[in-house]
Amino acid sequence: MNITRENIDDLNAVLKVDIAKDDYNEKVQKVLKDYRKSANIPGFRKGHVPMGLVQKQYGKAVLVDEVNKLLQDSLQKYLTEEKLDVLGNPLPKDQEDLNWDAADYSFEFELGLAPKFDVDLKPKDAVTSYTIVVDDKMVDNQITTIQKQYGKITNKQEVEKEDEVSGSFVNEEAAFDKKTTFEVAKLKGKANNSAFVGAKVGDTVTVSTKGLFKEAGDYRSFLGLSEEEAKEKNLEVSFTIEEVNHREPADLDQDLFDKLYGPGVISSVTELKDKIKEEGEGQFKQQSDQQLLNDVTEKLIENTKFDLPAEFLKKWIQRSGEKELTAEEAAEEYERSEKGLRYQLIEGKIIADNELQITFEEIKAYAKEMIKGQMAQFGQNDPKDEELEGIAARILSNQDEVKRLSEQLMNTKLLDFFKENVKLKEKEVTFEEFVKEVYN
C-alpha cells in the first residue's frame, strides 16, 4: 500500500491511497473461511459448503468491507505519523468508475488543513475586567427579603398594597397561562395598583403585560416573559385571585441569625450585613469571571486573523451528519459554526503553546474540591480523605462527568492565564451598573 499527498494550497490537500491485492487478500480469505464454517446453505452440510460458492455469495461484500477497514486504519495512521492537523475528517472523492472486480485499487481523499497563525494577547484596546461590589441598597433589599421569608404569614380575603397575591395570568386567545405569586408593591403605576388593591379572593382583575412591573427581572419571574416580550406582545391578561397573604417581617434578632447561619455565627445586624455583602460578592465574582472569559474570547476572535478551508468544511458539514444536507443548508450551518470553530483553533493553540493541558490527577483534585464545597453546604466541613476519594472515584467512572469536569477545569486554567497575560483594565461596578453596561 502506498499513500501520497498533494498540497493544493496551505489549507487544502488530496491524499491518494493505492491498495494492492497483497494488502487485503489474506484478511478477505480468513473472513470467507470463517463464513464457510458457519454458513447455512440448503443442500450442503454446515462447514462443507464449497469455497467457490461462499466466494460467489459473500466475496464482494467482504472485499468492500475489508478494503474500507484498511483505508480507515491507514488514513488514521498516516495523519498521526505525518502530524497533520486536519479539520473535520478526510472526505472521499467521488469515483464513479471504481471497478471492484480489479485486483488493485486507488482512492483519493480531500483534506482540510488547520491554518497557521499567531495569537496576540496584547490587543491595542484593553479588555474590561469587572469587579462587582454589593452596595448598601442591595444589602438592605436582601435583608428585607430575608425578613419576609422568615416572617409570619397571615391569610386574608381582601388585597392591600403590602400584600402578595397568588393566581394565574391568562389570555386564552394567545394560549397564555402563567401561575404565579407576587407582591402588589412590585406593580408599576397607579392604574395597576388600583386594579388589585381592594379586590377580594375570587375576583378577576384585568391588566396589560406592557408596563406591568417596576423591575425588568420581575417580568421573567412573574410572567415568564422578558420586559421586551411583555411590551411587544402587550397582552390583555386576566388574573383571578386565588389567595391573598400578608407577611409580617421577622425581627432581626439572634433567633433569626441562628436560623440563617447556625448558632452563634452571626450576632448583630452589622455582622449580618457584612456576611451578605461577602456572599454576594463571591457569587458575583463567578459572573464577572464568566464575562471576562466571554470578552477575551470575542477580542481574540476579532484580532486573530486567519483563513479557513471554507469550501472543504461546507462539504464536510454537508456529508458528516446522519442526514445529508443540501449545499445551501451546509453553507448556513457553516456560517453559524464558523465563529466557534475559530475560537476552538485559537484556544487549542493557546493551550498547546503555553502547556495548559490538564492531567487526570488535576481532574481528580478538582472533583474532590467540588465535593468538599458541596458537603460544606450541608454542614460537613471536615470530610475524611478516604470518603472524598470514594466519591470522586464514582464520579470519575462516568465519562460524561470526566468531560464536564475537564471543561470546567480548563476554563479555570484559561481564565487564570488570561488574567495574567491579556491586557486588562479593572473596573469596579455595582450589579445594576454591570447589567446595564454589559447587557445594554
Side-chain angles (χ1 to χ4, degrees):
M1 184 172 59
N2 185 46
I3 300 180
T4 55
R5 182 173 85 247
E6 178 188 358
N7 289 330
I8 307 302
D9 52 39
D10 291 340
L11 299 173
N12 295 275
V14 174
L15 288 185
K16 184 179 180 183
V17 184
D18 294 317
I19 296 179
K21 186 174 182 178
D22 289 344
D23 296 321
Y24 62 81
N25 192 52
E26 184 178 341
K27 289 184 178 180
V28 169
Q29 294 307 315
K30 182 180 182 306
V31 173
L32 290 175
K33 286 178 183 177
D34 290 340
Y35 272 33
R36 186 189 181 203
K37 292 176 185 177
S38 59
N40 286 312
I41 297 179
F44 299 96
R45 285 185 297 151
K46 188 175 182 179
H48 290 78
V49 179
M51 193 62 184
L53 186 58
V54 173
Q55 176 74 41
K56 182 178 180 181
Q57 188 159 348
Y58 301 109
K60 183 68 65 69
V62 172
L63 169 66
V64 172
D65 189 46
E66 290 303 318
V67 169
N68 279 326
K69 288 180 183 177
L70 182 61
L71 275 173
Q72 296 304 316
D73 292 344
S74 58
L75 281 173
Q76 190 58 51
K77 183 179 178 182
Y78 178 85
L79 295 176
T80 301
E81 290 178 348
E82 294 294 314
K83 297 179 179 178
L84 286 179
D85 194 1
V86 299
L87 302 179
N89 294 312
L91 284 179
K93 297 185 74 172
D94 293 332
Q95 292 177 265
E96 296 179 0
D97 59 346
L98 181 63
N99 180 13
W100 285 103
D101 292 325
D104 300 333
Y105 309 104
S106 186
F107 301 91
E108 291 187 337
F109 293 84
E110 296 178 61
L111 296 183
L113 305 177
K116 307 295 182 185
F117 58 89
D118 294 315
V119 180
D120 181 11
L121 294 169
K122 304 291 184 183
K124 181 179 177 182
D125 298 325
V127 177
T128 301
S129 177
Y130 294 97
T131 299
I132 306 174
V133 296
V134 175
D135 59 7
D136 292 342
K137 178 184 176 183
M138 182 169 284
V139 171
D140 291 340
N141 286 341
Q142 182 61 21
I143 288 177
T144 299
T145 299
I146 290 170
Q147 287 183 277
K148 288 181 178 179
Q149 181 181 348
Y150 287 87
K152 180 182 177 183
I153 301 176
T154 304
N155 187 258
K156 300 175 61 179
Q157 290 299 307
E158 185 173 327
V159 181
E160 294 184 78
K161 190 171 183 180
E162 299 303 320
D163 296 336
E164 64 180 30
V165 294
S166 298
S168 298
F169 285 112
V170 176
N171 181 304
E172 293 183 358
E173 187 177 340
F176 183 83
D177 190 336
K178 173 64 175 175
K179 190 174 182 63
T180 188
T181 298
F182 64 91
E183 296 174 41
V184 175
K186 291 183 177 292
L187 293 168
K188 182 179 180 180
K190 291 182 179 180
N192 290 324
N193 275 271
S194 297
F196 280 88
V197 174
K200 295 179 175 60
V201 173
D203 288 351
T204 298
V205 174
T206 301
V207 291
S208 171
T209 58
K210 179 181 177 182
L212 185 57
F213 293 104
K214 295 176 183 176
E215 302 291 336
D218 289 342
Y219 287 88
R220 184 67 68 185
S221 299
F222 306 132
L223 281 174
L225 304 172
S226 68
E227 184 178 17
E228 292 74 20
E229 288 172 330
K231 180 179 179 180
E232 182 180 338
K233 292 177 183 291
N234 195 20
L235 294 176
E236 186 177 87
V237 289
S238 62
F239 187 93
T240 300
I241 300 172
E242 297 174 1
E243 189 175 2
V244 180
N245 288 308
H246 180 76
R247 291 182 181 266
E248 192 68 36
D251 293 331
L252 293 174
D253 56 17
Q254 193 61 49
D255 182 55
L256 178 61
F257 302 153
D258 291 348
K259 286 178 181 177
L260 292 172
Y261 296 106
V265 176
I266 298 295
S267 59
S268 68
V269 174
T270 299
E271 290 181 6
L272 175 61
K273 289 184 175 182
D274 290 342
K275 190 71 172 176
I276 291 172
K277 182 178 176 66
E278 176 190 334
E279 290 177 339
E281 290 181 351
Q283 293 173 359
F284 289 150
K285 187 177 185 302
Q286 297 178 15
Q287 282 185 268
S288 59
D289 280 348
Q290 184 59 55
Q291 189 60 42
L292 177 60
L293 196 59
N294 294 344
D295 290 343
V296 171
T297 297
E298 291 292 332
K299 185 67 70 174
L300 290 174
I301 293 172
E302 178 186 333
N303 289 352
T304 307
K305 306 297 183 183
F306 53 81
D307 292 327
L308 291 169
E311 294 308 312
F312 168 84
L313 288 171
K314 291 174 187 176
K315 192 182 299 184
W316 177 70
I317 290 171
Q318 184 177 3
R319 299 183 186 178
S320 62
E322 293 183 7
K323 176 185 176 183
E324 184 165 326
L325 304 178
T326 65
E328 292 76 15
E329 290 171 335
E332 290 173 2
E333 181 60 31
Y334 173 75
E335 293 298 325
R336 285 193 291 268
S337 59
E338 180 186 0
K339 190 174 183 180
L341 174 58
R342 287 183 178 277
Y343 183 66
Q344 285 181 18
L345 293 170
I346 294 169
E347 182 184 271
K349 183 168 178 60
I350 291 172
I351 291 170
D353 289 353
N354 298 280
E355 298 181 350
L356 299 179
Q357 293 86 354
I358 55 179
T359 65
F360 184 78
E361 286 303 313
E362 286 178 310
I363 297 173
K364 186 167 84 169
Y366 182 71
K368 288 168 70 174
E369 285 302 311
M370 288 186 64
I371 295 164
K372 283 174 67 176
Q374 291 170 356
M375 294 176 75
Q377 293 177 7
F378 296 95
Q380 297 175 268
N381 294 312
D382 191 24
K384 293 182 179 180
D385 192 62
E386 295 82 1
E387 185 177 8
L388 292 174
E389 284 280 347
I391 298 173
R394 289 196 296 273
I395 291 173
L396 297 178
S397 65
N398 184 319
Q399 289 303 308
D400 290 337
E401 282 297 306
V402 172
K403 181 181 178 182
R404 183 180 66 83
L405 291 172
S406 298
E407 290 173 351
Q408 290 180 359
L409 181 55
M410 181 53 70
N411 280 341
T412 300
K413 278 199 169 191
L414 284 168
L415 182 63
D416 291 341
F417 175 80
F418 291 151
K419 285 181 177 179
E420 292 179 7
N421 294 277
V422 173
K423 184 179 177 182
L424 303 176
K425 61 178 179 182
E426 305 290 335
K427 187 169 185 178
E428 190 173 282
V429 292
T430 65
F431 183 67
E432 285 185 5
E433 291 168 340
F434 174 77
V435 170
K436 191 175 293 184
E437 190 162 323
V438 170
Y439 298 108
N440 291 346

